[in-house]
Amino acid sequence: MLDQSTLDALWNFSDPSASEAAFRRALEDGALGGRPFDDAERGELTTQLGRAIGLQGRYEEADALLDGIDCEEDPTISVRVLLERGRVLNSSGHAAMAVPLFEQAAELGEHLGDEFLAADAFHMLAIADSDHAESWARAGIEYAREAHSPRAQRWCVSLHGNLGWMFLDAGEPHRALVEFQLAEQWASRVGTPEQAEWAREGIAACRALAG
């Protein structure tokens, strides 16, 4: 299967259209970094193409693309399909229908030992299942912090940060501040400069609100 860093290099989440073009080029070329990829890796790339299409609001097109992926090639593809189907449902206003897909993705990801995808599923559960957002986020943090992969550990930044904004929106700046500070610590350890800046913005917002 493809290393997550390979997929990261094709993604520009601020520009889903450019990401779609990057994944289409890779699929047309049949190779990445000069190396041909196999059918399982093609399936994995296709899940990300579906995600890029879904982020542009073309939900039916994304769903149809995900429908055509052969999940029997590798169980990791099954996890990715579950995740991307869930994201399409969540983004299109059907969060309740997305939750069981994310639960399946988390369970299967944990079973496979795919730390990055399992943590991603917890992250999406905390977004889609608003009634249990904190408990899902805490479960995701507990899982990601023990991960062997620094890339999987990076989910701690997003999970703590999302909790921070949730608490801030609820008028609890002191609780939010703790989460943003933890997000900043994880960002300095395993995250990106952009994530560190995002955490610092949250810290500043908490201090401004607390007066």
Side-chain angles (χ1 to χ4, degrees), residues 24-183:
R24 287 195 186 280
R25 280 194 302 272
L27 287 164
E28 288 169 5
D29 292 344
L32 281 170
R35 180 185 69 83
F37 49 73
D38 59 26
D39 287 343
E41 291 169 329
R42 174 175 290 277
E44 198 168 10
L45 281 167
T46 304
T47 67
Q48 300 308 285
L49 174 60
R51 182 178 184 180
I53 291 170
L55 283 171
Q56 297 173 71
R58 290 150 51 200
Y59 303 125
E60 290 185 8
E61 184 182 347
D63 204 43
L65 186 69
L66 293 167
D67 261 345
I69 296 173
D70 184 2
C71 293
E72 294 183 5
E73 288 288 344
D74 191 286
T76 299
I77 298 176
S78 297
V79 181
R80 286 199 180 275
V81 169
L82 286 166
L83 275 168
E84 302 317 331
R85 280 193 181 286
R87 277 194 254 265
V88 168
L89 285 167
N90 185 62
S91 297
S92 61
H94 303 285
M97 296 172 64
V99 169
L101 299 185
F102 293 140
E103 288 180 315
Q104 290 176 58
E107 183 177 354
L108 182 54
E110 282 194 271
H111 175 72
L112 295 173
D114 195 318
E115 297 173 336
F116 178 85
L117 294 182
D120 188 357
F122 281 118
H123 162 254
M124 289 309 304
L125 279 164
I127 292 171
D129 190 0
S130 57
D131 289 341
H132 306 95
E134 183 177 359
S135 60
W136 283 123
R138 298 293 182 207
I141 290 165
E142 183 178 354
Y143 179 82
R145 68 186 300 168
E146 299 300 327
H148 297 89
S149 158
R151 186 64 184 85
Q153 291 175 356
R154 193 184 296 175
W155 281 113
C156 289
V157 183
S158 298
L159 289 159
H160 278 299
N162 288 350
L163 280 174
W165 290 114
M166 184 182 78
F167 290 141
L168 198 60
D169 289 342
E172 301 180 76
H174 297 293
R175 293 185 73 190
L177 180 60
V178 172
E179 300 301 332
F180 287 128
Q181 288 172 333
L182 288 167

Side-chain angles (χ1 to χ4, degrees), residues 3-21:
D3 187 85
Q4 184 58 39
S5 62
T6 301
L7 298 176
D8 287 345
L10 295 172
W11 265 112
N12 179 355
F13 286 103
S14 64
D15 192 345
S17 178
S19 298
E20 177 187 353

